[in-house]
Amino acid sequence: MNSLTTVGQKIPKRDAPPKAIGAAVYIQDMKVPGMLHGKILYSKHPHARILKLDTSRAEKLAGVRAVITAADMPSTFRIGVMKDNPPLKTGKVLSIRDEIAAVAATSPEIAEEALSLIEVEYEVLPGIFDPIEAMKEGAMLLHEETKSNVLKLPWKLVCGDVEAAKKEAVFIVEDTFSTPWVTHCCLGTSGCIAQFDTNNNLTMYSNTQIPSLAQNDYIEALNAFGLKNKRVRIVQCVIGGGFGSKLDTYSYEYIAIRLSLKTRKPVKIIFSREEEFFATSPRQCTITKISHGCDREGRLMFREIEMVLDNGAYTSWGATTPSVMMLPISSLYKVPNVKYTAKCVYTNNTYSQAMRGYGNPQATFAIESSLDQLAEIAGIDPYELRLKNANEPGEVTPQRFKITSCGMKECIEEVVKRLNWKGKHGRGAGRGVGMASLIHVGGGARVYKSDGCGTIIKMDDFGKVDVFTGASDIGQGSETIIAQIVAEVLGIPIDDVNVINNDTDICPWDVGVHASRTTFVAGNAALGAALKIKSQVLEAAAKLLEEDPAYLDIKNGIVFSTRNKEKSTPLGKALRKAHYTLGGKMLMAEYFYDPKNENFDKEFKGNLSVSYAYGTHGVEVEVDKETGQVKILDYVAAHDVGKAINPLLLEGQIYGGGLQGVGYALGEKMVYVNGELKNGNFLDYKIPTAKDVPPMQAVIVETDEKDGPFGAKGIGEPGLVPTAPAIANAIYDAVGVRIKDLPITPEKVLKALKGKEKIG
Amino acid sequence: MKREIGFTLNGEAVRLEVEDQWTLLYLLREVLEMTGTKEGCGYGECGACTVIIDGKAINSCLYPAMEAEGRAITTIEGLVSKDGELHPLQTAFINEGAVQCGFCTPGMIMSAKALLDANDKPTEEEIKDAVAGNLCRCTGYVKIIDAIKSAAGGR
Ligand code: FES
Ligand code: FES
């Protein structure tokens, strides 16, 4: 494995050229002959009874091919993680994104006009928009069949004895932190095209992150529609951003399917930006009560967290984020005693989904802010407190994570060095530095029964390779990483590797692009398949060269003997020889990699991932005491990534994640007032622009992860996890005020500064 | 109401009938089926639809198609030379890692081109200003800025 030629290189993304010339086909660009356009009518109120729904005028509009309502869906059909969400609602609506009716028409404009002709009468009901209110005894129930608005989910983790540790701890801090609703803001909006063949088999053009699981969901839906034993094919167009938003299937997809069935035509639904804001599932808001304690030397003794999460009106994967939050809660730094409980609560808000980091950013904001508070009362430099408690290789954490490679200390040291921490921390006077670290799954995450990915490789007569992988590319670059791994193993130029990753009819199963798992899991699957086909190639070449395959290898597309220079042949020749022989064969190999990680047991313990990713972000800020404005002067993001398979793409993940984190820290918030989104556009919901880019350094800390493909670990999500607390800590260092409620707006800083003056 | 207009599109003269309410983006994407120009918002806030009109980077989603009369319009499709050679900005975006999901990329490149056509040695601030209206959710802009610098330097 030494002297790598492709792995470790800054190879440009293979899908970049079509994207850069405007030739890439996104779902927005996709057309199918005869296609109709679907549009959805949403509720006008966050909580109301539908008294009357009259679609007759819409149906009569020229160009309208179908109008559907809940009556067109099987009455018991529900979607989502808890199966609590009918794709079209009847009786009661529970949020402003509730779908009431939908239209298919010959143009989007006609479909839109038809929506305006649908008459709905509502009886407006009082709603519950605050999870704390919704938890109260006697609160109105959103879902009448449940006993409580608190979801029946068992989020509780206990490690060691927190009560006993509390008695022994010398320094204890306790506080409450909160985070807002924020949304993915993929530049390409959601959409799909549903198409049936004459036998009622479904093809779905989609931008999902979970083709194999979505296939399963749609098959269930077809069953519910009475179409048993049908085939479902998912074809992914180029995906205009994911970040977790496409980890579930949503009402609009089932609506497109239903409209297509009814009209016998392909039906396309594309979200407008407005819909993308209010009708997709964002990262939920959280309220976190945290307490931390340490001994006299600053060794952590316990961490206790109680959390409330706004689930919204229905349930998607957002409700399962506490499972991933447990990771930093139990295992970010060494802390022997841990207690964590979380409640997900139904409200009449939008409903939540996972977003890059899967709960980790919310938890890490509380943990890393609280740690700085602890360092202060213990009289220890926050960086020393972190170093003293840092995770180490070989450690088994209280939640039974087996830490293999771990570069946390190196990441902390990188930040300290590059930020000149020692010269800058603790000066106050409007300038300050702060840091925060992260732990995340870096070797898959066994959240389902399988965490696997399949790969098929075939080679043609000329030494060119097709790799069929289950792993989707959502822009992060998995296609390139997989091609690099295969090219490296087979000793061929990367241009000879073609990766096919977007069609369930030809690609093998994969659990989905989530949990920063693709490089590790799909990478290992590609590695396994490549090794398998390589041995077949060498077998074939061995016959041709009359050499023992054990002494054969491939480089630059030439098979050669490692002990006899005379014996070599171009790869293609060996392949043709194998093919054009009586009883010959085409070379093909498959490999299914399922990491040997563990599902949590009933107590939520177990080695969720084969390896863990670490990182530390450090930031220097300047706070304007007159305006409350926070300016980032310097930003260092150090990440332990195992081996960097492609530093170019890796840096891209770090910068991209980092700036999303800056948005989360300083500006982004979906403003929901009584269940209505007040800032559902890019003007009012501001994501960072080029003008907001601070001086940023991405530092790659390499550790050797023995289970990773060529030593690599995941990096997709970590980039934004520690940003917000690092910035909050820096602001505290600069001006002595701690903002505990994201985002850290100038108004909040100013208010805190005023409050401090009064006390001071 | 329909009216016939004429303009130059990627160096070629076109004449066609357009409707009053059409935007230039609609004309490009839906009528001419040139889907390289993207729609990220449809109301002038994301820059995905940027094209160059008479040397200026413009959000085509807000630009009435009628107004194209007599103008010279360049879209992302017009950047590749006749013999298939990519524009230096396209090459730089590819090589510097400035493309992730790619949805912002055509618009971003058009804004950058308008900048470099007018100013071949922009400062970092000028680059940031030029693409401030082009949102990207994936890259954190760092490599986009690098790519524009490198394309400017390579001229
Ligand atoms: S689509 Fe024109 S600015 Fe967003
Ligand atoms: S690359 Fe995805 S929005 Fe810019």
Side-chain angles (χ1 to χ4, degrees), chain A residues 214-392:
Chain A
Q215 190 183 30
N216 192 57
D217 284 356
Y218 300 150
I219 288 172
E220 254 177 45
L222 295 188
N223 278 331
F225 296 159
L227 302 174
K228 308 278 184 209
N229 204 17
K230 295 298 168 193
R231 292 177 55 87
V232 169
R233 174 186 185 193
I234 292 170
V235 180
Q236 287 153 296
C237 300
V238 177
I239 299 173
F243 314 118
S245 60
K246 300 164 176 79
L247 281 181
D248 204 351
T249 50
Y250 296 98
S251 293
Y252 79 87
E253 294 161 68
Y254 299 94
I255 289 170
I257 291 171
R258 191 69 193 86
L259 285 170
S260 175
L261 260 182
K262 190 158 181 170
T263 58
R264 306 304 310 172
K265 294 271 185 197
V267 174
K268 178 175 185 173
I269 294 184
I270 293 289
F271 274 14
S272 66
R273 177 55 56 185
E274 190 193 3
E275 277 175 299
E276 189 74 10
F277 266 104
F278 81 81
T280 63
S281 293
R283 191 197 293 285
Q284 76 275 79
C285 58
T286 59
I287 305 162
T288 304
K289 203 173 134 198
I290 178 167
S291 98
H292 255 137
C294 67
D295 67 10
R296 196 167 301 286
E297 280 76 47
R299 266 183 296 269
L300 290 175
M301 296 185 66
F302 76 91
R303 180 179 292 154
E304 186 176 17
I305 294 184
E306 280 172 34
M307 201 182 276
V308 175
L309 298 87
D310 190 344
N311 188 61
Y314 304 98
T315 311
S316 184
W317 295 110
T320 67
T321 54
S323 62
V324 175
M325 293 182 182
M326 287 176 184
L327 167 67
I329 288 170
S330 72
S331 306
L332 179 59
Y333 307 106
K334 289 180 187 157
V335 45
N337 303 292
V338 175
K339 193 170 165 199
Y340 171 56
T341 53
K343 291 193 167 87
C344 303
V345 189
Y346 281 127
T347 64
N348 292 110
N349 293 320
T350 184
Y351 71 91
S352 68
Q353 174 54 279
M355 178 170 161
R356 200 176 199 170
Y358 216 100
N360 197 334
Q362 296 96 307
T364 299
F365 175 59
I367 295 168
E368 283 286 15
S369 297
S370 167
L371 270 187
D372 257 37
Q373 295 176 314
L374 189 65
E376 184 176 20
I377 66 160
I380 304 173
D381 187 302
Y383 118 75
E384 279 170 26
L385 182 94
R386 288 182 170 83
L387 212 51
K388 185 169 283 188
N389 293 286
N391 299 107
E392 287 175 304

Side-chain angles (χ1 to χ4, degrees), chain A residues 27-28 30-39 61-68 102-112 191-196 205 252 255-270, chain B residues 30:
Chain A
I27 189 74
Q28 282 75 9
M30 184 76 194
K31 274 188 187 157
V32 175
M35 181 176 92
L36 300 173
H37 299 267
K39 293 267 178 203
L61 184 69
V64 169
R65 293 289 179 268
V67 182
I68 59 168
V103 175
T106 48
S107 78
E109 293 74 25
I110 295 174
E112 193 73 57
C192 67
I193 304 171
Q195 179 176 30
F196 284 91
Y205 297 91
Y252 79 87
I255 289 170
I257 291 171
R258 191 69 193 86
L259 285 170
S260 175
L261 260 182
K262 190 158 181 170
T263 58
R264 306 304 310 172
K265 294 271 185 197
V267 174
K268 178 175 185 173
I269 294 184
I270 293 289
Chain B
E30 305 301 328

Side-chain angles (χ1 to χ4, degrees), chain B residues 130-143:
Chain B
V131 297
N134 293 80
L135 296 179
C136 173
R137 191 54 155 172
C138 302
T139 64
Y141 305 100
V142 177
K143 289 181 180 292

Side-chain angles (χ1 to χ4, degrees), chain A residues 371-444:
Chain A
L371 270 187
D372 257 37
Q373 295 176 314
L374 189 65
E376 184 176 20
I377 66 160
I380 304 173
D381 187 302
Y383 118 75
E384 279 170 26
L385 182 94
R386 288 182 170 83
L387 212 51
K388 185 169 283 188
N389 293 286
N391 299 107
E392 287 175 304
E395 185 189 338
V396 178
T397 78
Q399 207 183 347
R400 292 215 310 270
F401 300 143
K402 295 182 187 131
I403 308 303
T404 51
S405 58
C406 171
M408 188 185 212
K409 285 186 178 168
E410 290 88 328
C411 290
I412 296 174
E413 297 288 12
E414 283 289 345
V415 164
V416 167
K417 185 177 78 193
R418 288 170 188 261
L419 221 49
N420 185 16
W421 179 274
K422 288 169 191 166
K424 286 182 175 163
H425 183 262
R427 291 169 314 169
R431 272 190 175 210
V433 289
M435 69 162 68
S437 296
L438 80 103
I439 178 175
H440 201 65
V441 288

Side-chain angles (χ1 to χ4, degrees), chain B:
Chain B
M1 210 188 68
K2 276 198 181 195
R3 187 170 11 129
E4 192 179 283
I5 59 166
F7 58 99
T8 315
L9 180 58
N10 297 330
E12 282 179 27
V14 268
R15 287 210 72 80
L16 41 76
E17 278 200 332
V18 299
E19 297 259 5
D20 266 348
Q21 73 282 11
W22 288 0
T23 63
L24 178 59
L25 180 64
Y26 182 89
L27 175 66
L28 290 171
R29 284 184 58 85
E30 305 301 328
V31 183
L32 299 172
E33 298 198 321
M34 292 166 64
T35 54
T37 308
K38 302 298 173 199
E39 174 171 344
C41 68
Y43 47 71
E45 289 171 7
C46 77
C49 62
T50 307
V51 299
I52 297 178
I53 305 179
D54 291 343
K56 283 208 178 63
I58 300 284
N59 288 329
S60 62
C61 69
L62 294 181
Y63 195 88
M66 295 276 184
E67 301 273 310
E69 168 68 40
R71 300 188 189 271
I73 297 176
T74 311
T75 69
I76 190 73
E77 288 91 349
L79 260 55
V80 180
S81 76
K82 288 241 158 37
D83 46 14
E85 204 178 314
L86 304 201
H87 187 277
L89 267 165
Q90 293 172 314
T91 312
F93 267 62
I94 295 163
N95 291 339
E96 296 288 331
V99 181
Q100 286 191 25
C101 84
F103 204 85
C104 70
T105 306
M108 201 67 87
I109 289 177
M110 296 317 286
S111 288
K113 181 174 189 297
L115 168 71
L116 297 192
D117 287 349
N119 171 2
D120 59 3
K121 284 196 188 63
T123 62
E124 177 150 339
E125 275 322 296
E126 286 168 335
I127 292 175
K128 286 182 174 180
D129 281 335
V131 297
N134 293 80
L135 296 179
C136 173
R137 191 54 155 172
C138 302
T139 64
Y141 305 100
V142 177
K143 289 181 180 292
I144 291 176
I145 296 164
D146 286 351
I148 299 172
K149 271 189 210 162
S150 117
R155 284 179 159 218

